[in-house]
């Protein structure tokens, strides 16, 4: 929620003392609004104005960091309700749940799976973010042992769920450097929870069934200056929690309601009987505003589609997704296989590589870095032009991989044919491919026959 | 402490298109709120799932998917009946692959005849998608509309540069048309303007913004549909108020994540579950972002999506 220069000006001393280095308070306010200077430059601003201005510069949904080190993750900081309005900022986290009633062997298996889950897709690494440990057994000693065991087996941030405040407090004290997320502060235990949070600095979850419940809790934590909190609302019912997530996000962003301006945690693992339903429910909360999504398992057939979908939704719509510039081998090509070239816009790459796969004709696909633009856009922008293409072909190393000296170019840039032939070394000839990806399989089959 | 629940003020309504004839007809669209926001406004008609039927034996389906339909691959009529009787399909989407000059070049007469037979065999609305160059699709769909007069079938498709023939045939023979754009809100609007100028009532148009599966650009489809729904409902932009359809199944089932075995890709896990997730998560995404009709394939994925629709709108 950014303030305008005039709104900021009203809160300044209005003395035009120039101590900030600007000729007037208004000029300083304008620079502040533009984010070009810091408020500290004004030595005379009142404490009250300072805290008001600082708060106003916070995003409508606060940033919360969970865990520490390389595996820590951040949620919150969202500014929009729809990704096309700008972008979603911090992707939701996926946490895999472990009940403390599980055997040691079972726990080790899950931890191993979570630790090892890692995919590379479109230049990004996709991983599970956290492990949630639930004190289902209600046995404090058991919970402690298992939390410590899990903590020794993984660097992933932890979510600790227990109704036993004593044990949560103890664990928060012992593990405070790892910044686990503590679940949950409720109307009943709020005061003690605030003390734990202040003593350890651990992020906390506030849990209530209704909006009113949540408001009374978040008001308290605000009074106490606690910012790293996450909201858990509802009765673990899909329809109701879908509604809750939308209302919380809308109230925080459109109505600027600070008391709802926290990331959320949702529990598909408690809303479904089977893992297919659970994955589907989780995907709904990826679209609609869950910040930490708890799952019952990290089985690849469930987690991989979810990680891929999350990547899609949290892609910045203002920045085209790019794939790496390199030679892609599709279907074990050999030195006589066809050579095609396209640009590194991820969608272009996915569609073309998919159609080449469908053709069952092994190919070399050269993907050229044009800052993620599609073929026609890159051509129009002067990035996919004969001179640059020829440079790329030479340095790509394709000439060492194949005997053929024929290059297939996209049909939409057929006009490049002659000039590209001139730019390339002796021996290369340019073949014009189809305009549409869907025609690629037929083209390739005829090309090799 | 009391709390006022924030609420969108909707000024527009999605138009209602009737699919199917007297015995099979169902209304699609009519939404007065964003998808599944039925706490803000009425969503009188749940989104529907259309099950695919092909006009010839499909190729390269994974075994775990083929097993549900293998026995009816040779006959679109039997296939459609199986979808309705065994899997409770609410609509049938005939994928006329064989009209493509590269895969059979079936004549318009033959294709229209298949549509008619299937339509007469089931009491469910029929959606038809062609395949191949626009010239051929237009020739076939003109005939399909003629032979299936007054039956409110939904005919796919027309594009910006090819719309007159099929639009006229839908208008003349009382059928509905799918207007396709490539995830482009402005082209979607432009095409609807052209169609209505031609005299086609808005209640005969369903928009297809083009789609992709998760991992293959679904986010473009997602945002394009959200923008269309917001323009239609919150800004009362008439030329974006047509219901939406996505022909999703062919996009999902061609990707390797839905087809490659666990032996070849152990890090991707169990193939059948993975494939079902790939289709159901993709379908859910298109529904959350605004489609009114989604074309699907795997019976289990369809069951899951129906469960979600009923839960969220129930």
């Amino acid at each position: 929620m950014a303030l305008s220069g005039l709104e900021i000006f009203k809160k300044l001393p209005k003395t035009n003392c120039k101590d900030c280095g600007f000729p007037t308070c208004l000029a300083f306010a304008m620079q502040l609004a533009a984010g070009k200077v810091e408020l500290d430059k004004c030595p005379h601003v009142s404490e009250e104005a300072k805290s008001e201005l600082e708060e106003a510069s916070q995003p409508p949904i606060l940033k919360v960091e969970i865990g520490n080190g390389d595996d820590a993750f951040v949620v919150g900081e969202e500014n929009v309700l729809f990704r096309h309005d700008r972008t979603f900022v911090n992707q939701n986290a996926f946490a895999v749940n472990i009940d403390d009633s599980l055997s040691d062997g079972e726990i080790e298996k899950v931890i191993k799976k979570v630790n090892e889950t890692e995919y590379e897709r479109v230049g990004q690494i996709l991983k599970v973010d956290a492990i949630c440990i639930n004190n289902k057994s209600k046995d404090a000693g058991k919970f402690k042992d298992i939390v410590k065991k899990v903590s020794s087996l993984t660097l992933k941030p932890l979510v600790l769920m227990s109704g036993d405040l004593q044990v949560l407090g103890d664990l928060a004290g012992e593990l405070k450097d790892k910044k686990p997320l503590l679940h949950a502060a409720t109307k009943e235990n709020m005061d003690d929870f605030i003390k734990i949070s202040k003593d350890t600095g651990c992020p906390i979850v506030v849990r209530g069934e209704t909006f009113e419940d949540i408001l009374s809790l978040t008001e308290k934590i605000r009074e106490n200056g606690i910012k790293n909190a996450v909201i858990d609302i509802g009765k673990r019912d899909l329809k109701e929690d879908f509604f809750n997530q939308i209302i919380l996000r809308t109230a925080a962003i459109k109505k600027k309601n600070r008391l709802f301006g926290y990331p959320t945690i949702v529990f598909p693992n408690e809303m479904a009987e089977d893992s297919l339903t659970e994955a589907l429910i989780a995907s709904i909360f990826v679209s609609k505003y869950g910040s930490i999504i708890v799952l019952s398992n990290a089985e690849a057939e469930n987690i991989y589609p979810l990680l891929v979908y999350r990547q899609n939704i949290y892609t910045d719509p203002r920045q085209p997704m790019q794939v790496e510039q390199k030679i892609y081998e599709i279907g074990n090509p050999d030195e006589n296989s066809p050579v095609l070239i396209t640009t590194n816009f991820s969608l272009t790459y996915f569609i073309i590589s998919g159609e080449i796969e469908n053709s069952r004709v092994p190919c070399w696909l050269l993907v050229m870095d044009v800052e993620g633009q599609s073929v026609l856009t890159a051509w129009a922008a002067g990035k996919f032009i004969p001179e640059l293409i020829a440079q790329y072909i030479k340095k790509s190393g394709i000439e060492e991989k194949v005997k053929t000296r024929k290059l297939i170019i996209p049909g939409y840039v057929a006009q490049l044919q002659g000039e590209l032939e001139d730019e390339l070394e002796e021996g290369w000839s340019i073949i014009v491919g189809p305009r549409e990806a869907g025609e690629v399989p037929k083209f390739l089959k005829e090309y090799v026959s | 402490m009391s709390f006022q629940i924030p609420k969108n003020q909707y000024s527009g309504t999605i138009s209602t298109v009737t699919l199917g004839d007297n015995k099979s007809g169902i209304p699609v669209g009519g939404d007065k709120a964003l998808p599944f926001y039925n706490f803000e406004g009425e969503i009188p008609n749940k989104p529907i799932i259309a099950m695919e039927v092909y006009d010839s034996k499909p190729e390269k389906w994974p075994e775990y998917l083929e097993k549900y339909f293998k026995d009816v691959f040779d006959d679109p009529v039997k296939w459609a009946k199986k979808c309705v009787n065994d899997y409770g399909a609410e609509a049938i989407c005939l994928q006329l692959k064989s009209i493509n000059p590269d895969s059979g070049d079936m004549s318009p007469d033959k294709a229209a005849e298949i549509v008619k037979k299937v339509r007469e065999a089931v009491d469910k609305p029929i959606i038809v998608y062609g395949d191949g160059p626009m010239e051929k699709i237009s020739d076939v769909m003109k005939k399909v509309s003629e032979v299936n007069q007054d039956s409110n079938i939904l005919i796919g498709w027309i594009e910006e540069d090819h719309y007159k023939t099929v639009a006229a045939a839908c208008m003349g023979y009382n059928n509905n048309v799918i207007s396709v754009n490539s995830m482009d809100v402005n082209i979607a609007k432009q095409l609807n303007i052209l169609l209505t100028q031609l005299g086609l009532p808005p209640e005969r148009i369903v928009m297809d913004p083009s789609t992709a599966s998760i991992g293959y650009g679904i986010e473009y489809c997602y945002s394009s549909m959200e923008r269309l729904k917001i323009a239609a409902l919150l800004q009362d932009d008439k030329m974006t108020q047509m219901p939406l359809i996505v022909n999703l199944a062919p996009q999902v089932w061609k990707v390797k994540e839905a087809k490659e075995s666990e032996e070849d890709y152990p890090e991707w896990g169990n193939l059948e579950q993975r494939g079902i997730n790939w289709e159901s998560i993709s379908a859910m995404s298109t529904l959350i972002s605004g489609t009114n009709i989604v074309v699907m394939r795997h019976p289990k994925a369809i069951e899951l999506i129906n469960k979600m629709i009923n839960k969220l709108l129930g």
Side-chain angles (χ1 to χ4, degrees), chain B residues 21-274:
Chain B
D21 57 20
N22 293 336
K23 58 178 179 148
S24 66
I26 50 172
V28 171
D31 325 28
K32 291 188 171 69
L34 287 173
F36 301 102
Y37 284 36
N38 50 335
F39 42 83
E40 293 190 329
E42 199 196 353
I43 298 179
N45 304 304
K46 288 179 188 169
I48 62 168
I49 301 169
M51 279 186 84
E52 284 187 305
V53 170
Y54 282 81
D55 59 358
S56 53
K57 183 182 180 307
E59 280 169 32
K60 294 187 274 188
W61 283 22
E63 205 283 320
Y64 73 89
L65 179 57
E66 213 179 56
K67 71 183 179 205
Y68 294 98
F69 304 105
K70 209 155 54 178
D71 56 330
V72 291
F73 270 171
D74 58 329
D75 182 353
V77 169
K78 278 195 221 151
W79 190 338
K81 279 186 164 165
K82 182 166 194 184
C83 290
V84 173
N85 298 334
D86 294 7
Y87 305 122
E90 296 162 283
I92 295 296
C93 178
L94 259 169
Q95 309 270 24
L96 297 181
K97 278 292 245 200
S98 309
I99 67 168
N100 190 327
D102 295 334
S103 50
D105 204 15
M106 185 191 279
S107 71
D109 286 323
K110 177 91 194 296
E113 203 47 41
I114 292 178
V115 177
K116 183 164 183 267
K117 275 191 193 148
V118 171
R119 178 174 62 79
E120 286 170 351
V122 292
D123 285 355
K124 296 290 168 190
I126 305 295
I127 299 163
V128 187
Y129 267 97
D131 192 61
M134 276 318 284
E135 290 76 10
K136 181 66 192 278
I137 292 175
S138 296
D139 285 350
V140 169
M141 295 307 158
K142 185 181 165 203
K143 196 75 195 170
V144 165
S145 188
E146 186 188 325
V147 170
N148 294 276
Q149 193 171 351
D150 300 325
S151 51
N152 287 335
I153 57 173
L154 179 58
I155 294 181
W157 66 94
I158 54 158
E159 291 176 1
E160 215 186 357
D161 299 326
H162 283 93
Y163 66 95
K164 285 187 181 154
T165 313
V166 177
C170 285
M171 216 155 55
Y173 298 110
N174 294 322
N175 287 308
N176 305 310
V177 74
I178 298 171
S179 75
V180 168
N181 64 83
S182 302
M183 306 186 190
D184 186 321
V185 174
N186 294 322
I187 291 177
K189 280 180 67 171
Q190 179 59 27
L191 186 50
N192 288 337
I193 292 168
L194 293 171
L195 289 171
T196 44
Q197 279 173 352
L198 202 67
L200 192 68
E203 300 74 35
R204 289 226 169 267
I205 305 170
V206 175
M207 294 185 284
D208 175 349
S210 306
T211 195
S213 84
I214 55 168
Y216 291 84
I218 200 168
E219 67 272 26
Y220 295 90
C221 171
Y222 187 92
S223 285
S224 144
M225 292 205 290
E226 269 196 335
R227 289 176 62 203
L228 283 169
K229 283 293 198 243
I230 287 168
L233 293 161
L234 292 165
Q235 291 141 25
D236 196 21
D237 181 340
K238 303 281 181 219
M239 287 301 121
T240 60
Q241 288 175 344
M242 294 70 180
L244 291 162
I245 182 170
V246 288
N247 193 2
L248 180 69
Q251 298 298 323
V252 169
W253 296 102
K254 75 178 183 191
V255 309
K256 57 180 181 294
E257 288 84 351
K259 292 193 298 201
E260 297 293 341
S261 70
E262 191 174 356
E263 287 70 50
D264 291 343
Y265 291 89
E267 70 277 20
W268 288 354
N270 177 280
L271 172 59
E272 177 155 18
Q273 300 252 326
R274 186 204 319 147

Side-chain angles (χ1 to χ4, degrees), chain A residues 185-420:
Chain A
T186 61
K187 277 190 286 195
E188 289 72 33
N189 67 14
M190 194 64 205
D191 294 331
D192 296 327
F193 228 95
I194 286 173
K195 189 172 178 311
I196 296 176
S197 165
K198 282 188 165 171
D199 290 349
T200 63
C202 290
I204 61 169
V205 177
V206 295
R207 161 100 181 111
E209 290 200 348
T210 66
F211 296 117
E212 282 75 17
D213 290 349
I214 297 296
L215 283 173
S216 67
L217 296 171
T218 51
E219 186 157 58
K220 261 217 171 120
I221 61 172
R222 260 170 78 88
E223 283 166 8
N224 283 279
I226 294 172
K227 286 191 170 146
N228 48 352
V230 171
I231 294 175
D232 173 10
I233 187 175
K235 301 191 184 99
R236 309 290 186 254
D237 171 79
L238 170 62
K239 185 183 163 98
E240 196 191 292
D241 282 347
F242 177 76
F243 168 74
N244 289 336
Q245 295 300 312
I246 290 167
I247 298 304
L248 285 180
R249 179 68 63 96
T250 309
I253 287 177
K254 271 178 74 178
K255 301 292 175 190
K256 308 194 187 327
N257 188 335
R258 289 282 177 190
L259 295 175
F260 287 150
Y262 300 88
T264 63
I265 184 166
V266 290
F267 293 86
N269 63 320
E270 296 181 22
M271 297 182 199
E273 302 289 312
D274 62 281
S275 60
L276 289 170
T277 308
E278 179 187 317
L280 193 49
I281 290 176
S283 82
I284 294 174
F285 290 120
V286 171
S287 307
K288 289 290 175 182
Y289 313 143
S291 313
I292 301 172
I293 300 177
V294 183
L295 304 169
S296 69
N297 68 85
E299 298 301 325
E301 61 271 17
N302 302 318
I303 198 77
Y304 185 48
L306 284 172
L307 291 170
V308 167
Y309 183 53
R310 173 182 73 179
Q311 183 184 35
N312 293 157
I313 289 299
Y314 280 87
T315 295
D316 186 342
R318 300 163 302 179
Q319 302 270 334
M321 285 291 280
Q322 304 183 21
V323 292
E324 191 193 339
Q325 165 169 297
K326 67 173 194 185
I327 304 169
Y328 290 82
E329 299 179 17
I330 302 176
N332 294 324
D334 62 27
E335 57 188 17
N336 295 313
S337 300
V339 181
L340 299 92
I341 188 165
T342 191
T343 65
N344 76 327
F345 177 36
S346 66
L347 206 50
T348 302
Y349 164 75
F350 276 136
I351 293 170
I352 289 292
S353 61
E355 293 297 350
I356 295 174
E357 268 166 34
N358 278 342
S359 77
R360 305 264 157 134
V361 178
C363 286
W364 304 92
L365 178 62
L366 294 168
V367 172
M368 182 171 151
D369 182 2
V370 294
E371 292 155 38
Q373 292 182 329
S374 66
V375 168
L376 267 183
T377 316
W379 168 71
K383 293 174 192 161
F384 195 60
I385 54 170
E387 190 190 343
L388 297 176
I389 297 172
Q391 279 174 18
Y392 169 56
I393 299 285
K394 276 172 218 160
K395 70 169 190 209
S396 70
I398 189 70
E399 289 177 327
E400 286 87 68
K401 289 182 188 281
V402 295
K403 277 196 199 146
T404 173
R405 287 292 178 268
K406 285 181 183 160
L407 177 68
I408 302 165
I409 62 170
Y412 273 109
V413 286
Q415 68 274 21
L416 303 184
Q417 189 176 22
E419 212 183 316
L420 185 53

Side-chain angles (χ1 to χ4, degrees), chain A residues 8-287:
Chain A
I8 296 172
F9 173 65
K10 285 180 195 155
K11 297 184 200 298
L12 294 177
K14 296 184 219 143
T15 52
N16 297 337
C17 70
K18 305 190 180 55
D19 288 353
C20 59
F22 291 91
T24 62
C25 288
L26 182 61
F28 179 56
M30 291 301 174
Q31 295 297 310
L32 274 175
K36 288 183 182 154
V37 289
E38 295 292 319
L39 187 60
D40 328 338
K41 290 270 183 231
C42 175
H44 311 295
V45 66
S46 70
E47 279 306 310
E48 192 194 344
K50 208 173 184 173
S51 69
E52 278 175 34
L53 287 170
E54 266 166 13
E55 164 140 346
S57 66
Q58 302 264 349
I61 299 198
L62 291 180
K63 168 182 169 177
V64 175
E65 186 172 343
I66 294 160
N68 80 352
D70 292 345
D71 290 86
F73 65 85
V74 169
V75 283
E77 291 190 287
E78 300 301 334
N79 301 298
V80 296
L81 290 171
F82 302 102
R83 61 187 291 281
H84 64 259
D85 284 339
R86 197 173 317 154
T87 181
F88 291 160
V89 179
N90 290 311
Q91 66 180 14
N92 69 266
F94 287 114
V96 171
N97 181 69
I98 295 172
D99 287 342
D100 67 355
S101 50
L102 290 183
S103 73
D104 278 12
E106 287 168 309
I107 289 173
E108 278 162 25
K109 244 167 81 183
V110 179
I111 304 289
K112 188 166 185 286
K113 197 147 229 165
V114 170
N115 285 341
E116 287 173 358
T117 298
E118 186 173 312
Y119 304 96
E120 198 198 327
R121 206 173 164 96
V122 208
Q124 295 179 345
I125 302 293
L126 314 180
K127 292 195 274 196
V128 177
D129 305 275
I131 292 169
C132 179
I133 309 165
N134 190 335
N135 184 196
K136 267 269 163 74
S137 70
K138 301 242 175 11
D139 176 338
K142 192 168 192 184
F143 185 59
K144 256 189 192 170
D145 289 348
I146 284 179
V147 169
K148 284 185 208 162
K149 182 183 171 75
V150 173
S151 175
S152 72
L153 292 173
T154 186
L155 294 170
K156 300 276 180 195
L158 303 179
V159 182
L160 307 181
M161 293 179 78
S162 175
D164 185 334
L165 204 64
Q166 181 67 43
V167 72
L168 268 188
D170 291 353
L171 285 167
E174 282 179 51
L175 298 174
K176 65 182 176 201
D177 294 340
K178 292 195 161 186
K179 286 241 195 114
L181 176 62
L182 308 177
H183 184 288
T186 61
K187 277 190 286 195
E188 289 72 33
N189 67 14
M190 194 64 205
D191 294 331
D192 296 327
F193 228 95
I194 286 173
K195 189 172 178 311
I196 296 176
S197 165
K198 282 188 165 171
D199 290 349
T200 63
C202 290
I204 61 169
V205 177
V206 295
R207 161 100 181 111
E209 290 200 348
T210 66
F211 296 117
E212 282 75 17
D213 290 349
I214 297 296
L215 283 173
S216 67
L217 296 171
T218 51
E219 186 157 58
K220 261 217 171 120
I221 61 172
R222 260 170 78 88
E223 283 166 8
N224 283 279
I226 294 172
K227 286 191 170 146
N228 48 352
V230 171
I231 294 175
D232 173 10
I233 187 175
K235 301 191 184 99
R236 309 290 186 254
D237 171 79
L238 170 62
K239 185 183 163 98
E240 196 191 292
D241 282 347
F242 177 76
F243 168 74
N244 289 336
Q245 295 300 312
I246 290 167
I247 298 304
L248 285 180
R249 179 68 63 96
T250 309
I253 287 177
K254 271 178 74 178
K255 301 292 175 190
K256 308 194 187 327
N257 188 335
R258 289 282 177 190
L259 295 175
F260 287 150
Y262 300 88
T264 63
I265 184 166
V266 290
F267 293 86
N269 63 320
E270 296 181 22
M271 297 182 199
E273 302 289 312
D274 62 281
S275 60
L276 289 170
T277 308
E278 179 187 317
L280 193 49
I281 290 176
S283 82
I284 294 174
F285 290 120
V286 171
S287 307

